[in-house]
Amino acid sequence: KAGVTQTPRYLIKTRGQQVTLSCSPISGHRSVSWYQQTPGQGLQFLFEYFSETQRNKGNFPGRFSGRQFSNSRSEMNVSTLELGDSALYLCASSANGGGRGNTEAFFGQGTRLTVV
Amino acid sequence: KQEVTQIPAALSVPEGENLVLNCSFTDSAIYNLQWFRQDPGKGLTSLLLIQSSQREQTSGRLNASLDKSSGRSTLYIAASQPGDSATYLCAVMGQNFVFGPGTRLSVLP
C-alpha cells in the first residue's frame, strides 16, 4: 500500500514568487491536512480538505490557499512568498480527518521550501 | 485554545535503558492522541494512536498511555537502541492536530 507522496521534495524560490505543492494521500483516504514546520514555531496547522471541501483552516494569511481534487490529491499554493515562508511543509492523510473521530493520520516526507 | 507541552525537551541515554517521554495538554476534549517520530529533515512516522476511550496502546518496545482527565500521555520506550534516536512528537486531535514541541532523543552506543 503506497504511502503519502509529496512533490517536489525541495524548492528554492525568490521573494514575491508563488509556489504550488502537491500531496497524494493514501488510496481511499479522503482527508488531507497541511502543516507548516519551522524551528521557531514548530508544527502548525494550515488547513484540511475533505471530499474536495475545505473543512477547517488555521491561522495563516490568505496568501496560503489550497484545493483538493476528486481523486483526493491536494495542492497547496503560497503566493507572494516571504522569507518567513521558508519551512518544511507536511501533509497528512487520513480516512476521516479531524473532528471525525478515531482515525490514524499518516504523513508524507514533506516539501522543503526555501525562499531567498 | 489547546496547548501541548512535552518534557523533557532533550534526552541523552546509553543504549539499553528504558525511558519515558511526557506529553501534557490543556483541553481534554480530544478525539485521539498520536505519537510520532521525526528523523532530521524527514516527515513524521506514526508510532502509536490512542483513541480517546482507550488508556494505553502497545507496539513492540513502545507503550503509550493516555489520561484524558489529567491531560497527560506518556510514551515508554523499552531497551532503547541507537536507532531510536530521533525527535518524538505527540499530537492531540480535536478539529485538527495540535503538536507538542517534541523531545529530542539521543541513544548512545
Side-chain angles (χ1 to χ4, degrees):
Chain A
K1 185 175 184 182
V4 182
T5 303
Q6 291 189 244
T7 57
R9 291 293 311 279
Y10 303 93
L11 270 176
I12 300 176
K13 291 287 188 179
T14 304
R15 274 182 301 173
Q17 287 187 314
Q18 74 167 18
V19 67
T20 299
L21 283 54
S22 178
C23 173
S24 294
I26 291 171
S27 178
H29 284 188
R30 293 190 293 169
S31 169
V32 174
S33 298
W34 290 88
Y35 292 82
Q36 180 196 64
Q37 186 176 33
T38 59
Q41 300 296 320
L43 275 151
Q44 293 186 290
F45 172 71
L46 282 155
F47 31 65
E48 180 199 6
Y49 285 86
F50 184 86
S51 294
E52 300 181 66
T53 301
Q54 186 181 88
R55 191 161 68 176
N56 195 9
K57 189 175 188 302
N59 189 27
F60 277 81
R63 300 185 297 106
F64 292 81
S65 64
R67 58 178 175 169
Q68 187 179 34
F69 302 95
S70 59
N71 62 358
S72 292
R73 188 177 71 86
S74 177
E75 288 182 348
M76 188 189 88
N77 184 274
V78 187
S79 63
T80 318
L81 285 166
E82 301 177 358
L83 295 178
D85 297 333
S86 295
L88 181 65
Y89 291 87
L90 294 162
C91 80
S93 162
S94 68
N96 297 320
R100 292 297 185 274
N102 306 309
T103 57
E104 190 171 4
F106 299 89
F107 281 75
Q109 289 297 299
T111 294
R112 171 73 64 183
L113 172 65
T114 302
V115 182
V116 298
Chain B
K1 177 187 172 186
Q2 179 74 268
E3 293 184 0
V4 181
T5 56
Q6 290 186 246
I7 294 174
L11 183 62
S12 184
V13 300
E15 181 177 6
E17 276 205 3
N18 302 325
L19 52 99
V20 176
L21 309 181
N22 297 288
C23 171
S24 297
F25 48 96
T26 56
D27 186 351
S28 62
I30 64 172
Y31 288 102
N32 60 48
L33 184 147
Q34 201 164 341
W35 282 92
F36 297 89
R37 72 172 275 171
Q38 185 174 33
D39 294 286
K42 300 296 179 71
L44 308 183
T45 300
S46 178
L47 297 174
L48 287 166
L49 167 72
I50 310 177
Q51 299 178 4
S52 60
S53 59
Q54 296 176 321
R55 298 284 290 182
E56 68 177 306
Q57 279 284 5
T58 298
S59 176
R61 295 182 294 109
L62 305 178
N63 174 275
S65 67
L66 173 64
D67 184 343
K68 268 184 57 176
S69 61
S70 67
R72 294 180 183 178
S73 177
T74 61
L75 178 66
Y76 176 83
I77 303 177
S80 59
Q81 303 171 358
D84 295 330
S85 298
T87 295
Y88 290 79
L89 295 150
C90 77
V92 297
M93 172 61 83
Q95 294 299 314
N96 54 269
F97 272 131
V98 177
F99 283 86
T103 293
R104 185 178 302 173
L105 173 65
S106 295
V107 181
L108 307 175

